[in-house]
Amino acid sequence: MSSAIKYNRSLIVYVLIASLMYLGIYMKNALLTFVGISLFLVFTSYLLTWDLLTSLSLSLLDINDELVVMKDHVILRIRAKSSLPLKIPAKITLICSPHLQCSNIDRDLIINGKQKDLDLEIKWFGIAKILGIVIKIVDPMGIVTNATFIKLGHDVVIEPKENAQLIIGKGLSRDLGNAVVFQSRSGDFVTLKEYDFSEPVSSIHWITSARVGNLVSTVRSEMGNLPKLIIMEYTPHMLKPANKYRPIDEALMYLRGLRSIGALLILIGNDITKVMNLSRIASLADLELRLRVLVIGMEGREELLERAKRLIGNYVNKLSNDDLMTWLYPVNVSKGLSNDEIKVLTRYLRKDSLLILSKESLSNLIRSNVDLNGAQVIVVGEGI
Amino acid sequence: MKKNSLSLIISATILLAINIYVFKREPMTMGIIGIILLLSSCIIVMVRHGVSRYLFFIDEAYTVLALSVIQGTIFNSLVLAILITASIIIYLSLNGSFDMRVLALSSIMLVTSIILTYILYSLLRGFIIMYIEIINANIIYFTLVLASSISIFILFLINLLIKELAHKGSS
């Protein structure tokens, strides 16, 4: 009942006013007629003025915005100025890609008021799009609503975390805690130390021991080899959110850690194979965007328009195809490595290569009897 | 003093004045009931402020009902109608349901609508007589309602035009 009243306020007000007027005519009562007419004129004049002022204010609106990218947050500073010198409280809805937490922000903004800082939490890595804001003005009674969409079109580059630590061991590795990227190769000489009798005799460095007259042993690196070739799955599966991060986020964190070693990166998926030098990639976030655009291109344009319409209504007409592709997130395409792509992968696979792929694709590799012996495999998408 | 209490005090005072006017007319009981209703509402609001909105509209509706029963001149009816409207507007604006600045600016549109209503009333009155006699309704009241509706419709069209021009000018 209360919701019915809430959503039909204008109807209720005008039905009451009309009833008073027509009761007055029917009963030939001057007072009822006059009360009805005066209420009708006052209410409608007020609502028309509100509608006119807010419409003018929105059409003369000028948005000054500034973007500050911090470690885990993005701060969007907005100031709404209108040529109409009236301070009008409004509600804002930020339209952005799901890389940023845009839904749980404080939505109050005063037109011609103070600057508003919107603190957006970074959720995923890649290139996030802050498409624009919908500014909505509702009168205090909730009868007249005016809204407009202002396109901001910010591209926020969110590179993977710098402090991402990872283990690259032989076999399967998923743990990211308490480790660093190892700098030495297996068996590399590290230092000499006094021999401990619990160590194998083969570790004794006889020449130095003879020279110093004491048993001295060599300390060698026990770590695995650093890969010279990284093969990464580049399919829609990598974009499927799992827990906090998507597989691509984890993969980008690994790539960030391995960037300095100058390995060759091979991206396999979506019927393409791309070879690039990891250390020469200017932005790892760009890899995410390219994959996303590739995958969203598989969805039909009509379908995308329909989805965008559900989110921002008819303002979708103000958007270009490029805006749609970079703002909307692919949800309908889900596929991993195909048999042909597995064949390509097998061709590149070497003993010192590192494989970054999703759990589903690993299962496919195992089913296809791909020899993973000697290769380092990182399964992404199981949550960090 | 809180705006809520202030709005109630002013609006209730106007209603009390109207009910005292009703009390001096026949039938007296309507006025007595109205005054008792208002005073008891004040006591209830002091104990439970949350019901003030409902009680105010009940009192308002009762006052309109009481006034519709008593006989009065057209001038008196006009003054009372303005008082009733004023009490509602004061209550709503002080309560925050109406924006005071917009309400003040809307007076321009209100005055325009009243002038338009008067002009349309003068124009329509003579024309409408023959049609109204058929349905046996009051010509003055009917023409007034019609004129006010048309005047608001004209203002609505002007509103749309200004909005459209502003929109084109900005884009």
Side-chain angles (χ1 to χ4, degrees):
Chain A
M1 179 68 181
S2 60
S3 65
I5 292 171
K6 193 179 167 188
Y7 295 115
N8 295 295
R9 277 176 191 156
S10 53
L11 186 70
I12 292 165
V13 167
Y14 280 101
V15 164
L16 282 174
I17 290 173
S19 308
L20 275 176
M21 288 198 288
Y22 290 105
L23 262 176
I25 296 172
Y26 179 73
M27 291 164 66
K28 294 182 181 171
N29 189 305
L31 186 111
L32 286 179
T33 317
F34 288 151
V35 169
I37 289 171
S38 59
L39 282 177
F40 175 65
L41 292 180
V42 171
F43 262 96
T44 319
S45 299
Y46 171 78
L47 294 178
L48 283 177
T49 310
W50 177 278
D51 182 46
L52 184 65
L53 288 175
T54 52
S55 294
L56 288 177
S57 184
L58 287 177
S59 35
L60 301 169
L61 198 65
D62 184 27
I63 294 282
N64 297 323
D65 60 307
E66 188 191 348
L67 199 70
V68 183
V69 183
M70 294 163 95
K71 200 179 166 193
D72 293 329
H73 292 253
V74 171
I75 293 179
L76 182 65
R77 294 187 172 135
I78 297 183
R79 189 166 193 177
K81 279 179 81 179
S82 175
S83 313
L84 205 72
L86 259 183
K87 277 189 180 180
I88 303 171
K91 293 267 178 210
I92 50 168
T93 308
L94 200 61
I95 311 292
C96 65
S97 52
H99 300 70
L100 301 167
Q101 291 271 22
C102 288
S103 52
N104 50 359
I105 52 162
D106 179 17
R107 298 179 62 222
D108 295 317
L109 176 84
I110 293 174
I111 295 172
N112 290 327
K114 282 181 185 168
Q115 177 183 278
K116 176 103 183 166
D117 285 2
L118 301 174
D119 193 352
L120 314 171
E121 200 185 322
I122 291 173
K123 220 168 95 184
W124 297 334
F125 306 126
I127 297 183
K129 183 108 185 166
I130 299 178
L131 190 67
I133 46 169
V134 175
I135 302 182
K136 198 176 185 183
I137 305 175
V138 187
D139 80 297
M141 284 190 294
I143 293 175
V144 182
T145 305
N146 269 319
T148 190
F149 172 74
I150 310 267
K151 195 173 155 186
L152 299 175
H154 288 298
D155 287 322
V156 187
V157 181
I158 311 164
E159 291 292 346
K161 282 178 192 168
E162 276 181 30
N163 60 353
Q165 295 180 322
L166 49 136
I167 290 173
I168 298 169
K170 287 194 173 181
L172 206 75
S173 172
R174 294 165 203 175
D175 192 6
L176 278 178
N178 310 321
V180 290
V181 179
F182 302 121
Q183 295 296 320
S184 61
R185 298 171 71 86
S186 177
D188 280 356
F189 172 81
V190 176
T191 186
L192 290 172
K193 68 172 186 67
E194 203 174 311
Y195 177 70
D196 179 350
F197 285 93
S198 62
E199 291 174 70
V201 181
S202 60
S203 69
I204 298 172
H205 197 273
W206 293 109
I207 299 168
T208 314
S209 301
R211 199 165 57 230
V212 297
N214 218 346
L215 281 177
V216 172
S217 64
T218 49
V219 178
R220 289 184 184 278
S221 165
E222 293 172 0
M223 315 310 176
N225 287 347
L226 274 182
K228 287 291 170 198
L229 179 74
I230 302 164
I231 303 171
M232 190 176 115
E233 181 188 344
Y234 206 54
T235 65
H237 265 160
M238 296 295 275
L239 295 171
K240 219 165 124 188
N243 302 322
K244 192 182 170 192
Y245 291 111
R246 302 163 299 168
I248 189 97
D249 295 317
E250 288 178 49
L252 290 179
M253 281 200 276
Y254 281 107
L255 294 183
R256 177 79 182 82
L258 293 163
R259 216 169 176 182
S260 57
I261 63 167
L264 214 60
L265 174 69
I266 301 177
L267 303 172
I268 299 178
N270 296 316
D271 302 325
I272 54 157
T273 306
K274 239 180 184 174
V275 184
M276 49 184 85
N277 193 322
L278 183 58
S279 55
R280 285 193 193 154
I281 298 173
S283 165
L284 287 172
D286 196 46
L287 287 181
E288 189 265 356
L289 176 71
R290 279 193 225 169
L291 174 61
R292 196 152 42 90
V293 171
L294 210 67
V295 176
I296 206 143
M298 295 175 191
E299 296 187 24
R301 187 175 152 75
E302 286 304 312
E303 203 178 312
L304 292 182
L305 279 172
E306 198 57 44
R307 263 172 63 198
K309 220 169 196 174
R310 275 202 298 274
L311 294 166
I312 59 168
N314 284 333
Y315 301 124
V316 78
N317 299 329
K318 290 185 177 180
L319 304 179
S320 66
N321 202 32
D322 198 43
D323 289 329
L324 280 178
M325 301 282 271
T326 48
W327 161 51
L328 289 173
Y329 196 77
V331 286
N332 295 332
V333 183
S334 175
K335 63 170 193 173
L337 290 169
S338 65
N339 288 337
D340 288 342
E341 285 159 355
I342 289 174
K343 278 178 195 162
V344 175
L345 188 145
T346 319
R347 238 184 7 247
Y348 283 106
L349 199 63
R350 298 199 315 242
K351 279 203 185 275
D352 63 343
S353 52
L354 170 69
L355 210 56
I356 303 176
L357 74 179
S358 66
K359 196 180 175 183
E360 292 90 342
S361 297
L362 179 68
S363 308
N364 279 353
L365 287 189
I366 293 165
R367 266 201 300 274
S368 308
N369 294 320
V370 175
D371 181 18
L372 295 171
N373 194 26
Q376 298 170 27
V377 182
I378 295 175
V379 180
V380 286
E382 295 198 290
I384 296 172
Chain B
M1 192 182 285
K2 280 183 182 175
K3 270 188 174 179
N4 259 346
S5 315
L6 185 69
S7 65
L8 258 182
I9 290 165
I10 297 173
S11 307
T13 311
I14 296 171
L15 286 184
L16 192 66
I18 298 168
N19 276 295
I20 289 167
Y21 170 81
V22 175
F23 172 69
K24 285 182 179 172
R25 302 286 169 129
E26 285 299 326
M28 265 172 73
T29 41
M30 292 298 273
I32 296 167
I33 294 168
I35 292 164
I36 293 168
L37 193 68
L38 258 169
L39 294 175
S40 53
S41 299
C42 289
I43 295 162
I44 294 168
V45 169
M46 273 180 223
V47 183
R48 267 186 80 182
H49 196 270
V51 293
S52 66
R53 184 173 279 245
Y54 306 107
L55 282 176
F56 171 75
F57 284 110
I58 289 169
D59 290 341
E60 191 79 47
Y62 177 80
T63 311
V64 174
L65 184 78
L67 281 172
S68 66
V69 175
I70 63 158
Q71 295 298 316
T73 61
I74 293 228
F75 178 74
N76 279 356
S77 301
L78 190 63
V79 172
L80 288 167
I82 290 167
L83 279 175
I84 284 171
T85 310
S87 74
I88 295 175
I89 300 303
I90 288 168
Y91 179 79
L92 290 176
S93 53
L94 288 177
N95 238 355
S97 299
F98 270 18
D99 190 305
M100 295 284 258
R101 295 159 309 161
V102 178
L103 186 68
L105 285 169
S106 76
S107 59
I108 302 165
M109 206 171 275
L110 180 65
V111 171
T112 318
S113 71
I114 291 168
I115 294 167
L116 264 175
T117 304
Y118 180 75
I119 294 166
L120 285 165
Y121 172 75
S122 317
L123 286 171
L124 290 170
R125 199 181 165 192
F127 177 74
I128 226 154
I129 287 171
M130 57 180 167
Y131 296 104
I132 294 303
E133 274 182 349
I134 300 164
I135 56 169
N136 194 28
N138 190 299
I139 297 165
I140 298 171
Y141 303 157
F142 183 83
T143 316
L144 264 175
V145 169
L146 190 66
S148 65
S149 306
I150 295 170
S151 77
I152 285 295
F153 181 66
I154 292 166
L155 285 175
F156 171 72
L157 292 179
I158 294 169
N159 219 7
L160 276 184
L161 196 71
I162 296 170
K163 275 163 67 177
E164 195 60 34
L165 285 174
H167 188 70
K168 274 187 183 164
S170 67
S171 59

